Amino acid sequence: MSKSWQTVYSMENTPLSPTCPWLLLAEEKEQKSHTRVFYNLFDDEFYNFKLAELAGKKCIGTSFGWLLSVGTDFQMNLFHPLSKHQLSLPPHPYVWEGYNRNFELNPIDYNDIFLYKCVLSRNPWNSVTHEYDRDCIIMIIHTNYKTLAFTKPGYKAWIDIKCDSRNFYDITFYKDKFYAVNNHGDVFVCHIEDDIAFAERIAIYKETEDYIHKYLVESSGDLLLVSRIQGGTHYQDNEFINDDSEDEDESIDENPYVTLGFTVLKLECSTEVKNKNEYEWVNVDSLGDQALFVGGNSSVSLSASSFNGCKANCIYFIDDNFDFFLATLNGGGYGMGAFSMEDGNIKQHYRGESPSYFAPPVWYI
């Protein structure tokens, strides 16, 4: 059943979030009505929204009901589909310098925009003042080096976060600070004072398999490191293969990667040395009533009992293997499912197909 909703919220009202996680499906190839489709996997319902603001744009899921969008002019916005609030952000600092703004881009060229994550410190709309909250911090993973940067409402530019590492996979806002994890599993805490920002390494995870995708999730007061184990034709003996084949047809695969499973660790403070905390990783065998939602969006943990049909002790995931989208037959959007921490089984949560080379489905939370 497909539903068409009309926007009924004004700029004076507080933007609402969906009552449970939805999937924003990929934009259809021929989009004349500017309609975007959302899917509620817990009641198996589709919702059609007329959202001209998102037509032809790459979208990244954040939180509080907001999406980060970027168009061919490289203008970045925070957009709230339910209220149609839109907050203009500074243009992407990396691609703005590398492209002529009058150069016409095809959708496939969006892969070069190099935006991987966007995480908010709070809702950017202040329901008391009915203005955008200038204390809201908007942090991204960007550039082909996967580095960190932030901005705030009203800022004219993005500010790089100084760090001796790069190749970050995820960010989360935990206990009033941003934390980030790199491809090795090392965790960093970000210190932001006015416009001065740097990231300090606080925990090292002795893992050499960089092919394992990593997420940071706050869950029931704990900071979790979630590792997504992947395999497929682009992996051999669980090692990443760089396919430099000169024959382009040979490098295209219908399903070059699959998710095999997940492991979860909890960051615990073990000792205090010279007024600094020392941390260690502890295995997590069960999430209890919690369900995790990970992918190309702000990673979240929610109480499964709050949503009919949501399974506890599960990890719901979507396709965020951005580096492989061009190596697939129709783009990304196939690697989606729900992983059970109890028995290790993976089941599909969306039975359809929604592929895209530049903007496959994202969680809308």
Side-chain angles (χ1 to χ4, degrees):
M1 180 178 179
S2 179
K3 294 183 179 180
S4 179
W5 283 14
Q6 299 294 324
T7 302
V8 295
Y9 311 112
S10 70
M11 288 295 290
E12 286 73 29
N13 291 330
T14 303
L16 302 179
S17 300
T19 56
C20 66
W22 292 350
L23 272 179
L24 169 60
L25 302 182
E27 185 177 36
E28 296 181 5
K29 294 181 180 179
E30 296 183 2
Q31 192 64 264
K32 297 180 180 179
S33 63
H34 293 166
T35 298
R36 297 301 299 268
V37 180
F38 293 79
Y39 174 64
N40 182 338
L41 61 153
F42 300 127
D43 63 11
D44 196 27
E45 294 280 3
F46 294 86
Y47 303 101
N48 299 322
F49 287 77
K50 289 186 177 181
L51 298 172
E53 298 87 347
L54 297 182
K57 295 185 178 181
K58 179 174 182 175
C59 295
I60 295 176
T62 62
S63 55
F64 304 105
W66 296 84
L67 296 168
L68 175 70
S69 68
V70 57
T72 54
D73 58 356
F74 305 119
Q75 174 59 49
M76 297 171 63
N77 298 302
L78 279 179
F79 179 69
H80 195 282
L82 296 184
S83 65
K84 292 201 173 183
H85 282 57
Q86 184 161 266
L87 171 63
S88 296
L89 301 176
H92 190 286
Y94 182 76
V95 298
W96 186 255
E97 297 175 357
Y99 283 96
N100 183 329
R101 73 173 68 185
N102 296 319
F103 181 74
E104 184 176 353
L105 286 179
N106 293 317
I108 201 169
D109 294 319
Y110 274 96
N111 289 280
D112 290 335
I113 291 181
F114 300 124
L115 279 173
Y116 300 96
K117 288 278 182 169
C118 178
V119 175
L120 310 176
S121 65
R122 62 176 70 177
N123 194 327
W125 179 258
N126 190 312
S127 60
V128 176
T129 64
H130 300 293
E131 296 178 347
Y132 288 109
D133 192 336
R134 293 181 177 271
D135 289 328
C136 173
I137 301 174
I138 305 151
M139 189 173 292
I140 59 173
I141 298 176
H142 70 140
T143 82
N144 54 331
Y145 299 113
K146 295 184 175 70
T147 56
L148 305 172
F150 82 95
T151 193
K152 294 182 179 181
Y155 276 32
K156 302 299 183 183
W158 291 89
I159 299 174
D160 289 328
I161 297 175
K162 296 181 180 180
C163 185
D164 61 2
S165 180
R166 56 188 185 182
N167 288 325
F168 286 97
Y169 277 3
D170 201 7
I171 320 163
T172 193
F173 192 68
Y174 173 69
K175 293 186 176 180
D176 298 325
K177 290 184 179 293
F178 284 97
Y179 290 77
V181 60
N182 66 10
N183 59 321
H184 298 300
D186 297 347
V187 174
F188 296 73
V189 59
C190 300
H191 302 279
I192 300 175
E193 186 67 33
D194 295 326
D195 293 342
I196 305 298
F198 67 95
E200 175 189 14
R201 193 188 318 258
I202 63 168
I204 297 175
Y205 181 41
K206 296 179 180 178
E207 178 185 272
T208 59
E209 298 89 345
D210 294 346
Y211 67 90
I212 297 179
H213 207 96
K214 301 169 185 69
Y215 308 93
L216 283 179
V217 192
E218 187 277 328
S219 181
S220 301
D222 294 321
L223 185 61
L224 304 182
L225 174 64
V226 180
S227 296
R228 179 174 180 170
I229 305 169
Q230 300 179 104
T233 57
H234 276 283
Y235 298 87
Q236 185 176 25
D237 297 329
N238 286 339
E239 290 184 1
F240 173 69
I241 295 177
N242 288 313
D243 191 349
D244 296 325
S245 172
E246 296 181 359
D247 189 339
E248 185 176 351
D249 292 336
E250 290 183 1
S251 65
I252 300 297
D253 195 336
E254 186 175 355
N255 192 15
Y257 51 90
V258 294
T259 296
L260 303 177
F262 287 83
T263 61
V264 181
L265 299 173
K266 178 173 65 174
L267 188 66
E268 283 194 350
C269 179
S270 56
T271 58
E272 183 175 317
V273 179
K274 295 181 179 179
N275 295 324
K276 284 192 175 183
N277 292 327
E278 298 264 331
Y279 295 89
E280 63 181 5
W281 294 109
V282 178
N283 285 319
V284 174
D285 298 322
S286 174
L287 301 172
D289 180 54
Q290 297 297 299
L292 309 184
F293 295 80
V294 300
N297 55 277
S298 183
S299 303
V300 298
S301 173
L302 300 173
S303 171
S305 59
S306 300
F307 312 115
N308 291 330
C310 182
K311 295 183 178 179
N313 200 26
C314 283
I315 301 174
Y316 290 82
F317 62 92
I318 56 176
D319 189 356
D320 61 354
N321 219 328
F322 303 104
D323 296 331
F324 283 168
F325 288 172
L326 292 180
T328 65
L329 190 61
N330 294 304
Y334 293 99
M336 302 191 292
F339 172 80
S340 170
M341 290 283 290
E342 182 178 358
D343 55 25
N345 289 331
I346 294 177
K347 295 182 179 180
Q348 284 184 295
H349 55 62
Y350 175 65
R351 298 181 182 87
E353 292 185 353
S354 187
S356 172
Y357 283 110
F358 70 99
V362 296
W363 290 119
Y364 179 58
I365 300 173

